[in-house]
Amino acid sequence: MRGTVTRKAAAALTALALLAAGCAAEEDAAPSGGSGDSGPIVVGAVEFTENIILQEMYALVVEDAGGEAELKQPLASREVLFPAVEEGDVNLVPEYTGALTTFVTGEEAEASSDGEELVAELREALEPEGIKVLEPAPAQDQDALVVTPETAEEYDLETVSDLAPVADELTAGGPPEEKERFVGLPGLKEVYGIEFADFRALDAGGPLTSNALESGQIDVARFFSTQGIIEQKGWVVLEEDKPLIPTENIIPVITEDVSTPEIEAALNDMSAELTTAEITALNKKVDVDKEDPQDVAKAWLEEKGLIGN
Amino acid sequence: MDWGWVQDHLDEIQSLFFQHAQFTLLALVYGFAIAFPLALAATRWPRLYTPILGLTGILFTIPSIALFMLMMPFTGPTATTCLIALTIYTLLVLVRNTVEGLKGVPREVREAAEAMGYRRFKQLFRVELPIALPVIIAGIRIAVVTTIGLVTITALIGFGGLGALFIDGFRQAFGTPIIVGFALSVLFAVAADLALVGVQRLLTPWARGGGSR
Amino acid sequence: MTFLSELLAWFTDPLNWQGSSGIPIRTWEHIQYSVAATLIAALIALPIALYLGHTGRGGLLAINIANIGRAIPSLGLIIMAFILLGLNITPVMIALVALAIPPIVTNTYIGIRNVNREVRDAAGGMGMTGWQVLTQVEIPVAMPLIMAGLRTSAVQVVATATLAAYLSFGGLGRFLFDGLALQDYEQLTGGALLIAALSLITEFLLARVQTVVVPKGLAKRNATAAVDAKMSGKAGVASSGA
């Protein structure tokens, strides 16, 4: 009698163990690059709408070009995601020329550099690591400082320079990275002489930042120029009248080991069609109209004839 | 609550559920693989019980977000990090319940088994474990439900199972994914709990009469 | 190991100990959130559980609520509350209180139910009113378990209060989330260690309080029951999701 129980238990345990081992094997098979085009291409993104739309687009384009794409859950920031690319755990990410150059070279990207110079710098820095920087899209998404119309009127704000004399009365909000990145607080201080009374770490142009600006918990918010919510809420974007924010073309970055000429060509074709207006419209569909990023990406690609079906 | 969204995303929901289940299963299997020998050691050498329980207890008190983050510099935002931390959290309950279960075997039973010529190993598996099973399974139940809840936290480092739906909903300021993720993970926990109760009944038919825990 | 030395540097950097984002303020914020949530939860949970325990009603729910509580994903709860209530501390409090209530309810209920029938009858026989029985007999006898429940709750709340920082508020979680976004591993690890330490301190402190509050004779007698309740509720610590 007791024997049967133990046998049953042992059988159940063995089955579970085998199942678990199978799961574990699958986990390990989860790609870290894969050789050539035989392994899936892991497409990563940072946790914000535009990046996620781009991630979906890249994945669809890759699949259409004969590769196998796998989407990775979005991560908190470039600081978390890009090391994964350097390690080979993630293969393809949508990046921004200026910010990535700063991140990769460790030196502030010159606001005066034009797009091509930045791409050249990126290639120089990343090629030795086996990372390929493809062609930039015309579309740019730059860091933008945003205020409500009421604030703009009260403090007479039109350009970022207008903030300098009144900044010590204002609270700013943005992603945690804002405290460290040169295009954030340090640069604002150095280039514009702006020092805010306080800074609140929220998210990268996400619901926390929107909520905070709307409810008046912050006066100045860091958003990104292509976000639909700015227009939707009727907020005011302050004009960058001094050189701080570099050119930020959207650019695919892919690890060499998984890249093929077909995939690269397809991604470049896609980038060529992507203008600032286009990506802004797509962002709006997801953020404001609550459409699904994948649907929006697919519809756009089909409309432009970039994917087969 | 947008049912249209649910319909459109059935695939994604399904694969997130599988990720969730995978993490839970692996954490439990690894956890038991570590806890069982520890528990055996603690019953064999009672002096070890307090330190083992103390250590697993302290590990358990470390808040899960903190533990995931503590491991990041060493193992990165990877599935391994998630699994190691999830496994650690199962240890306290599994060790504790296994030991208590084994301790709960009446001395007379053990002596009778010895008298009948059962050697240690046989005694353990043929006699002690079956009797200890209800308490052990009670521990497994707690570990399973706890782990299912914890997997959602791994969403903060890029995983999360059904918890990933929380992040999606957060980003879009959209309630439906969150409700779906919430409901499914709670349902999963309840179902797993009930399933284990069923397993216990199957494995210990003699215990059905009395009040089982 | 240079990481350890850098970590030590973070802890010893005087800048990290001053100002509105320094360790002392963050710790204080964290404690504030935790104490407030635990108190509110106790204020809600104790009367309900005492009533149920005293009258013997609602047992099924009371006993199982700790189990259900363990399954609730705190991250989902806090995000949902944010979407419904906006960017203020209320969503954080709601999530913390929701997680703190179950262990208190279950442990208090079981504690009161466990009071010996004879003791209760004797008290009734002595002419005590229901209220007197509750306050002079049941609660004191149930004290070990009530305290165990409160303790479990408190530790759970300290752990989960980390999530306040997820919604941009303060507390020690700030070091975790900022450190994560910036890949500043010293800050991240420092924050994690501080939260773990605070959790452990809370556990030990309340254990001390428990030994003081619970009469010695009871302590011994209820030892097993107390450990059981603590353990079954304690599992909730990790499930709190923090």
Side-chain angles (χ1 to χ4, degrees):
Chain A
M1 266 306 230
R2 297 285 148 81
T4 336
V5 170
T6 338
R7 253 176 242 141
K8 273 194 222 166
L13 261 170
T14 322
L16 259 159
L18 284 172
L19 185 59
C23 288
E26 230 177 87
E27 286 280 323
D28 287 341
S32 46
S35 46
D37 44 348
S38 54
I41 297 180
V42 179
V43 189
V46 174
E47 180 62 44
F48 65 96
T49 303
E50 177 177 279
N51 225 240
I52 290 171
I53 297 176
L54 289 167
Q55 181 195 34
E56 297 279 358
M57 276 195 214
Y58 286 3
L60 288 166
V61 166
V62 160
E63 300 247 321
D64 193 68
E68 191 194 322
E70 190 183 298
L71 293 167
K72 184 169 173 62
Q73 294 291 0
L75 293 175
S77 62
R78 169 181 298 110
E79 285 82 344
V80 185
L81 179 61
F82 207 74
V85 177
E86 288 170 331
E87 294 283 314
D89 293 326
V90 173
N91 302 114
L92 175 58
V93 291
E95 265 295 353
Y96 303 87
T97 47
L100 186 61
T101 308
T102 304
F103 182 77
V104 165
T105 62
E107 284 166 29
E108 304 313 326
E110 295 289 322
S112 51
S113 299
D114 75 15
E116 279 177 33
E117 286 175 353
L118 291 172
V119 176
E121 269 186 74
L122 277 174
R123 291 202 172 126
E124 198 186 310
L126 291 174
E127 226 127 84
E129 290 186 47
I131 299 176
K132 278 184 116 160
V133 176
L134 301 181
E135 293 304 316
Q140 278 200 59
D141 177 11
Q142 293 174 299
D143 297 40
L145 282 176
V146 171
V147 295
T148 60
E150 293 77 35
T151 311
E153 201 178 304
E154 189 182 331
Y155 293 93
D156 205 15
L157 304 171
E158 259 179 41
T159 65
V160 176
S161 299
D162 293 339
L163 280 173
V166 294
D168 55 357
E169 296 172 50
L170 301 172
T171 305
E177 311 84 87
E178 197 72 1
K179 279 188 278 191
E180 307 266 318
R181 288 191 187 170
F182 188 71
V183 294
L185 298 180
L188 285 170
K189 182 169 168 192
E190 194 177 303
V191 175
Y192 287 96
I194 292 174
E195 273 187 87
F196 291 108
D198 198 14
F199 173 78
R200 187 133 163 225
L202 297 155
D203 52 14
L208 293 177
T209 312
S210 303
N211 216 295
L213 186 62
E214 215 173 358
S215 59
Q217 291 178 55
I218 56 174
D219 304 300
V220 183
R222 170 65 77 201
F223 278 99
F224 303 96
S225 54
T226 55
Q227 283 185 268
I229 197 164
I230 302 176
E231 194 190 303
Q232 186 201 15
K233 299 281 180 185
W235 288 332
V236 175
V237 175
L238 297 175
E239 190 194 315
E240 295 276 341
D241 51 330
K242 287 194 186 157
L244 174 62
I245 312 285
T247 316
E248 298 283 10
N249 295 94
I250 297 177
I251 193 164
V253 174
I254 189 168
T255 56
E256 220 165 53
D257 53 354
V258 298
S259 187
T260 69
E262 293 81 33
I263 290 176
E264 287 182 29
L267 286 169
N268 288 333
D269 286 342
M270 182 216 118
S271 296
E273 296 282 340
L274 193 65
T275 65
T276 307
E278 299 272 0
I279 190 70
T280 309
L282 294 175
N283 286 343
K284 178 168 174 292
K285 286 199 179 150
V286 175
D287 278 337
V288 177
D289 305 330
K290 309 289 185 203
E291 285 180 44
D292 186 79
Q294 191 181 55
D295 293 339
V296 166
K298 190 151 184 251
W300 185 81
L301 289 170
E302 284 173 354
E303 183 198 315
K304 297 287 175 183
L306 290 164
I307 53 178
N309 35 340
Chain B
M1 177 75 188
D2 184 356
W3 289 103
W5 181 92
V6 178
Q7 243 182 323
D8 290 335
H9 287 83
L10 278 177
D11 274 344
E12 188 189 330
I13 296 175
Q14 190 179 45
S15 88
L16 287 175
F17 174 74
F18 277 133
Q19 187 191 67
H20 206 122
Q22 219 166 305
F23 270 137
T24 308
L25 185 62
L26 284 173
L28 261 296
V29 168
Y30 293 153
F32 203 73
I34 299 175
F36 195 61
L38 280 178
L40 287 181
T43 27
R44 175 90 167 79
W45 299 288
R47 284 240 191 93
L48 288 177
Y49 190 38
T50 323
I52 290 181
L53 218 61
L55 176 63
T56 50
I58 289 182
L59 285 173
F60 188 79
T61 310
I62 300 177
S64 61
I65 301 184
L67 187 58
F68 289 128
M69 301 298 189
L70 274 168
M71 294 179 52
M72 292 270 282
F74 307 101
T75 47
T78 58
T80 311
T81 305
C82 299
L83 271 172
I84 296 179
L86 289 169
T87 306
I88 289 178
Y89 284 115
T90 63
L91 292 177
L92 174 65
V93 173
L94 291 178
V95 169
R96 201 261 321 205
N97 275 49
T98 308
V99 172
E100 292 298 324
L102 288 171
K103 270 190 185 175
V105 176
R107 156 168 284 187
E108 305 85 55
V109 174
R110 243 181 277 156
E111 286 175 358
E114 238 179 271
M116 275 165 51
Y118 278 82
R119 303 236 318 267
R120 276 235 76 116
F121 220 54
K122 209 171 177 189
Q123 192 178 326
L124 177 64
F125 281 98
R126 286 289 191 91
V127 178
E128 294 181 41
L129 273 182
I131 296 184
L133 221 43
V135 179
I136 296 180
I137 293 192
I140 296 179
R141 280 170 61 194
I142 295 178
V144 166
V145 173
T146 308
T147 306
I148 292 178
L150 281 175
V151 171
T152 58
I153 295 294
T154 62
L156 293 172
I157 50 177
F159 295 92
L162 294 164
L165 291 170
F166 300 149
I167 311 281
D168 280 350
F170 185 49
R171 190 185 65 244
Q172 289 189 282
F174 183 31
T176 303
I178 304 176
I179 297 175
V180 171
F182 195 94
L184 283 179
S185 41
V186 172
L187 281 172
F188 183 27
V190 170
D193 196 44
L194 289 174
L196 282 166
V197 172
V199 166
Q200 180 187 323
R201 298 249 176 99
L202 263 170
L203 291 179
T204 56
W206 62 84
R208 269 191 227 144
S212 41
R213 218 168 355 128
Chain C
M1 277 172 66
T2 56
F3 175 66
L4 281 178
S5 59
E6 279 174 54
L7 181 62
L8 201 61
W10 186 82
F11 272 110
T12 53
D13 183 354
L15 275 174
N16 285 333
W17 291 86
Q18 331 160 326
S20 60
S21 47
I23 294 175
I25 301 249
R26 294 299 184 210
T27 309
W28 176 233
E29 287 170 340
H30 204 110
I31 294 177
Q32 277 180 297
Y33 299 148
S34 307
V35 170
T38 312
L39 278 178
I40 296 175
L43 279 169
I44 298 175
L46 281 175
I48 296 177
L50 287 172
Y51 174 73
L52 292 177
H54 180 68
T55 57
R57 301 208 186 109
L60 194 59
L61 180 65
I63 294 182
N64 284 305
I65 200 168
N67 229 16
I68 297 172
R70 231 177 264 136
I72 293 183
S74 49
L75 185 63
L77 198 56
I78 208 173
I79 290 178
M80 195 68 219
F82 161 73
I83 291 190
L84 292 173
L85 300 168
L87 190 66
N88 48 70
I89 202 70
T90 314
V92 177
M93 281 297 132
I94 289 182
L96 291 178
V97 169
L99 285 158
I101 288 180
I104 301 178
V105 170
T106 301
N107 282 353
T108 306
Y109 178 84
I110 294 180
I112 301 278
R113 291 315 299 161
N114 272 356
V115 173
N116 263 326
R117 157 148 279 181
E118 296 93 44
V119 174
R120 234 184 291 208
D121 288 346
M126 275 166 33
M128 285 181 156
T129 64
W131 177 254
Q132 286 174 318
V133 173
L134 177 66
T135 53
Q136 293 177 25
V137 177
E138 290 178 328
I139 292 182
V141 173
M143 205 39 114
L145 271 150
I146 297 180
M147 277 304 303
L150 285 169
R151 187 160 124 223
T152 303
S153 232
V155 177
Q156 195 160 314
V157 168
V158 168
T160 316
T162 313
L163 286 180
Y166 185 67
L167 287 190
S168 86
F169 293 99
L172 293 169
R174 199 67 270 146
F175 296 128
L176 287 190
F177 292 107
D178 285 356
L180 178 65
L182 293 166
Q183 286 283 277
D184 178 351
Y185 281 127
E186 290 81 46
Q187 191 180 162
L188 184 74
T189 313
L193 286 172
L194 285 167
I195 296 175
L198 190 61
S199 246
L200 287 167
I201 292 175
T202 309
E203 165 81 28
F204 286 130
L205 252 170
L206 289 178
R208 291 262 100 221
V209 170
Q210 187 168 332
T211 37
V212 163
V213 165
V214 174
K216 292 271 173 29
L218 274 173
K220 259 195 214 158
R221 189 154 73 83
N222 280 320
T224 338
V227 168
D228 265 338
K230 166 189 158 182
M231 284 310 188
S232 75
K234 192 174 182 180
V237 170
S239 88
S240 72

